[in-house]
Amino acid sequence: MQELSDRGMRITFKLYASLADFLPAGSEKHTIKIDIPDTSTPNELIDRYKVPRDMAHLVLLNGIYLKLEDRDRNIIKDGDTLAIWPPVAGG
Amino acid sequence: MAWTRNVMRVNLTKGTITNEPLNMDWAMDYLGQRGLASKYLVEEIDPKCDALGSDNKLIMTTGPLTGTCASTGGRYSVVTKSPLTGAIACSNSGGFIGNEIKNAGWDMIIFEGISPSPVYLYVENDKAELLPADDLWGESAWETDELIHKKHQDPLIRIACVGRSAEAGCLYAGIINDLHRAAGRSGVGTVMASKNLKAVAVRGTKGVGNVKDPAAFLKATEQGKKVLAENAVTGQGLPTYGTQVLMNVINEIGAMPTRNMREVQFEGASKISGEAMHEPRPTDGRPNLTTNAACFGCTIACGRISTIDQGHFSIQNKPEYWGASGGAEYEAAWALGSDCGVDDLDAITYANFLCNEDGFDPISFGSTVAAAMELFEIGAITTKETGGMELKFGNPKALAWAAEVTAKGEGFGKDLGLGSKRLCEKYGHPDLSMTVKGQEFPAYDPRGIQGMGLTYATSNRGACHLRSYTVASEVLGIPEKTDPLVTDGKPELVKAFQDATAAVDSTGLCVFTTFAWTLEDIAPQVNAACEGDWTPEKMTEVGERIWNMEREFNLAAGLTAKDDTLPKRLLKEAAKTGPATGKVNGLDEMLPKYYQIRGWTPDGVPTAETRQRLGL
Ligand code: SF4
């Protein structure tokens, strides 16, 4: 569990594929619960965990894609899930 | 010209083999592989013929870039009328057989009639002969491969063959080549077996030197390889995680078909994902994934080679499955996994091994097992039919058993071999079949990805993701991101993907290149290799022509606009979780517009003007 001093919200944070290397210790199945300040934006979390921004290709908040311009907005709510992938594809 | 301009015609009824020149007028309009072989089929068979009768033909076909140094230029396709759907079928496969056919000097091999007894075709460059296969009949695809290699004492022969499922009449049997690659969908293997044709074994040493402008071709293909290497998807994502990287993505966006598409998210997705394949198993400390693998000439190498824990229930005391073999790609992992509610990666891998060993489509098989599990749950199928097996969602032993009985067509395996549509009809619940035109769905729930609903409903070979993979845009942002939850703009998107894909499928290249390449990258390679002026615009037009030709075949075969639909579940039962909560697929909002931009009547028939414009 990642404890931050100014706990405001608890969210589920997921990093997949090659981004898994950036997950903090204690993560399981690419997932960790983290406590974050109320004002956190997706890009702040991306930076905090040192995920290169150009590798944060698919950024999903509760499964919904966040456009680049939404990633600096204060749109995360308590209990949300933020999941991030590098560019990936399949078929 | 990268065509060899040679067509081999094999009349199985008479036992004759002749060669004829490729129809170059058609090649200019349909390019090769899917387009050109479909043109031959459309011209040569009655669309109403019995798919398993002597009037159906089966064409193995390469593309003009097959066997060249273009990246992924090793593809081949099998074109025929499908016994599963009654529609035109074209199944595409990688591996090495396509390159071998081309190197032996053939653009395509057309099989007609039915052999009076089991045979296989042996081709060594110009030499071709039909040889008895009585000793191969009843053997799996893997055993057949080994026996033919032994018989000819030539390890370099490439073989495409059918397994026991096809012989037993499984309607979604494929043709396995190079042990774990398959022309998998629509029952093309069932047609091959119906012709008493067990295998095609090829040795080709002629080379493919006949490109139009070798210097320009080298330049164009080098440039293409550079684009693939520098692209994060084709350069890193696909080789490392394979298509299976999508498991967690699609689950997160709420479009993971689960338990016969009752749900759109699977709680066990992370356990059967591409990431999970890399993780050491708690039981033996080794990961499921052994290595990645490439088809002929491919610089992407997305293939999965896997190993099952020797202590796993599925292969205990079965050393023949202890080695590394073709692992689960996303489509197999989804169908055998979440659709059956199974989160046991090794059980999925075992079922996938059996699909390869005996040549049956893991998508259609998994989806049929899922339908059977739902029928079992509501009591329409009982342990009486299954011989005691508890065919319940989430039971990995039931999945393994289902694969074993389907592989050999034994007992309830006969019923599973019917496919989901006929199985659900037989047991009185046709609405539980998740199919379009009789073919089972692939791995994207169209409530969570709206464009895929239109893709499935209008696909010329029944439900299929590879006919227009709008997932690329709606989910992955390739070439640009669109919203998966809206229907606006999707008819245009689907048409664009359908036409472009039909063109790519006619080149000899792999459609996975299109995660990095557009027709702007592909056309210069085709143009440098082939006579004619192959611009991106011309390729799009060829794609549109192919699409309309396939459509006309299907209409003549008896399909109508009524068949361009989805199961009731996807149109009436809303998604219960995830971003698509409360949504059904909005097919009604998309279909009329789609017909209109296709230049079809409101009944889905190409208008005279459209036919004329495309030269049909
Ligand atoms: S991308 Fe994958 S499927 Fe396509 S040719 Fe390469 S290895 Fe084969």
Side-chain angles (χ1 to χ4, degrees), chain A residues 14 16-18 29-30 55 57-58 60 62-65 81 83 85 87-91, chain B residues 232-233 238 241 243 246 248-249 252-253 270 275 279 331 444 465 469 475-476 481 515 579:
Chain A
K14 302 179 178 179
Y16 286 108
S18 55
K29 293 277 170 213
H30 303 269
M55 290 303 282
H57 176 71
L58 263 185
L60 306 183
N62 302 323
I64 296 175
Y65 177 76
T81 297
W85 281 263
V88 291
Chain B
V233 171
L238 279 173
Y241 294 101
T243 55
L246 284 187
N248 286 313
V249 179
E252 194 75 20
I253 67 153
S270 68
E275 287 88 344
E279 288 157 13
E331 286 298 338
Y444 310 92
H465 58 300
Y469 192 65
V475 181
L476 308 169
K481 185 78 176 73
F515 294 129

Side-chain angles (χ1 to χ4, degrees), chain B residues 116-200:
Chain B
S117 61
V119 289
Y120 71 100
L121 177 73
Y122 176 68
V123 180
E124 201 179 320
N125 295 331
D126 299 334
K127 196 181 98 188
E129 53 186 334
L130 286 168
L131 298 170
D134 304 272
D135 55 334
L136 303 175
W137 207 255
E139 301 292 351
S140 73
W142 288 357
E143 283 158 342
T144 300
D145 191 284
E146 192 178 331
L147 287 167
I148 293 178
H149 275 114
K150 267 197 192 140
K151 188 167 168 182
H152 292 272
Q153 286 296 301
D154 182 353
L156 294 176
I157 291 174
R158 296 294 179 179
I159 295 164
C161 61
V162 293
R164 290 170 289 186
S165 67
E167 293 174 13
C170 168
L171 287 174
Y172 46 84
I175 300 171
I176 297 293
N177 61 278
D178 306 294
L179 299 176
H180 23 242
R181 286 280 159 184
R185 300 228 70 191
S186 309
V188 297
T190 321
V191 176
M192 182 158 157
S194 78
K195 299 195 169 303
N196 266 332
L197 178 63
K198 180 69 178 175
V200 175

Side-chain angles (χ1 to χ4, degrees), chain B residues 221-286:
Chain B
T221 51
E222 274 313 305
Q223 174 58 24
K225 286 175 191 168
K226 196 161 167 271
V227 172
L228 294 178
E230 287 171 359
N231 181 284
V233 171
T234 48
Q236 295 146 35
L238 279 173
T240 310
Y241 294 101
T243 55
Q244 262 276 64
V245 76
L246 284 187
M247 183 67 70
N248 286 313
V249 179
I250 301 301
N251 198 48
E252 194 75 20
I253 67 153
M256 173 62 64
T258 300
R259 285 176 278 267
N260 201 32
M261 302 187 93
R262 278 198 318 217
E263 294 141 77
V264 296
Q265 287 182 309
F266 180 45
E267 65 287 350
S270 68
K271 289 195 195 166
I272 60 171
S273 64
E275 287 88 344
M277 288 173 79
H278 279 264
E279 288 157 13
R281 281 179 290 245
T283 42
D284 67 349
R286 296 166 67 200

Side-chain angles (χ1 to χ4, degrees), chain B residues 66 83 90 100 216 234 253 257 280 297 341 386 420 435 438 443 486 511 567:
Chain B
T66 306
C90 173
E100 209 67 28
T234 48
I253 67 153
T386 66
S420 168
T435 49
V486 305
V511 76

Side-chain angles (χ1 to χ4, degrees), chain B residues 9 29 45 78 93 125 168 251 254 282 294 331 339 344-345 395 421 427 449 451 466 471 474 488 567 583 610:
Chain B
R9 189 175 291 274
D29 284 342
I45 74 165
V78 180
S93 179
N125 295 331
N251 198 48
E331 286 298 338
D339 208 32
D344 178 335
L345 186 55
N395 180 356
K421 178 172 177 269
Y427 289 98
I449 310 175
L466 292 170
V471 175
E474 294 183 274
D488 274 0
K583 278 198 175 293
T610 301

